[in-house]
Amino acid sequence: MSFKSSPFWLAALLGTLWVSPTYAEESMLTLPSGAKVGVEVVEALAFDNTQSRYSDILLHPTTANGTTDALPEYCLLVANAQLNGDRIRITTQDATCIETHDAESAIYSGSFSASAYAEDGQYGIPCGNSDCTLAPGQSFVLTLDESIQIAAQDNPSAEINATRRQANGEGVANPIPGERPDPDQSIENPAPTEQPN
């Protein structure tokens, strides 16, 4: 089983920023302690006696029963997972999220401390009868161990796109004039032609 590195997935997530032209108005991503959010793994994980722990796995938001809050749609969480008896214990480390509203976006990246709990309220996700796996599409709930407040980061692509819009005549201050013929080469004033000697 091969896993793509965390930088690969984070680069894929941040790649969506190039179509987001401006900053979002929100300056802080906040969730209270005890908030419950739905997630799923990005790639399948299989646990057994020879592979009982995975580090730096990636999770992303999804709908799940028993949630109280929601993460932005474009979000990746880095976590560790370990088999403990007949349960898989998952704890997160950090998150990188993009909040979008219409044509605006903001990047949030910071610590994110949460743990997976089963529907019975116990710590860890129970294994199935015959195997102990996690796969995309299998949602579960993370409960935040502490409140989070992650400030929005600078979005360089937003600044570039804003400059491009102004240069293309969409902004108020347009530094590049629209296309028009050179006055010296107009019909009324044609360009001079060379005369034979």
Side-chain angles (χ1 to χ4, degrees):
M1 183 182 312
S2 65
F3 291 91
K4 294 181 175 66
S5 65
S6 296
F8 171 86
W9 290 109
L10 292 174
L13 174 69
L14 293 175
T16 62
L17 289 175
W18 291 103
V19 298
S20 302
T22 55
Y23 290 105
E25 294 179 358
E26 292 79 3
S27 60
M28 193 78 66
L29 176 65
T30 61
L31 286 170
S33 176
K36 301 177 187 298
V37 296
V39 296
E40 64 183 348
V41 294
V42 170
E43 293 186 296
L45 307 173
F47 297 83
D48 55 32
N49 293 332
T50 60
Q51 181 69 65
S52 62
R53 178 178 174 80
Y54 290 91
S55 299
D56 298 331
I57 66 170
L58 295 173
L59 313 173
H60 67 86
T62 190
T63 56
N65 293 328
T67 60
T68 61
D69 294 87
L71 292 168
E73 179 182 0
Y74 302 106
C75 205
L76 281 177
L77 286 72
V78 180
N80 295 323
Q82 182 169 355
L83 181 62
N84 188 292
D86 62 349
R87 288 181 178 263
I88 303 169
R89 294 186 173 180
I90 297 177
T91 54
T92 62
Q93 304 167 27
D94 50 61
T96 298
C97 301
I98 301 171
E99 183 78 66
T100 60
H101 290 285
D102 298 325
E104 299 181 346
S105 68
I107 311 168
Y108 303 94
S109 186
S111 299
F112 193 98
S113 179
S115 304
Y117 286 84
E119 291 183 358
D120 59 10
Q122 294 189 37
Y123 179 43
I125 303 166
C127 296
N129 294 329
S130 59
D131 59 6
C132 206
T133 61
L134 288 174
Q138 179 183 351
S139 63
F140 55 93
V141 173
L142 289 176
T143 301
L144 270 68
D145 300 327
E146 56 189 35
S147 61
I148 64 164
Q149 290 187 332
I150 304 175
Q153 299 181 352
D154 288 341
N155 183 346
S157 67
E159 295 175 336
I160 292 170
N161 288 332
T163 302
R164 285 178 182 161
R165 284 198 318 279
Q166 288 183 344
N168 290 334
E170 299 172 18
V172 175
N174 183 6
I176 299 177
E179 293 184 9
R180 57 180 67 118
D182 187 332
D184 293 333
Q185 297 180 4
S186 64
I187 295 175
E188 294 79 14
N189 188 16
T193 58
E194 294 185 6
Q195 300 293 330
N197 293 329

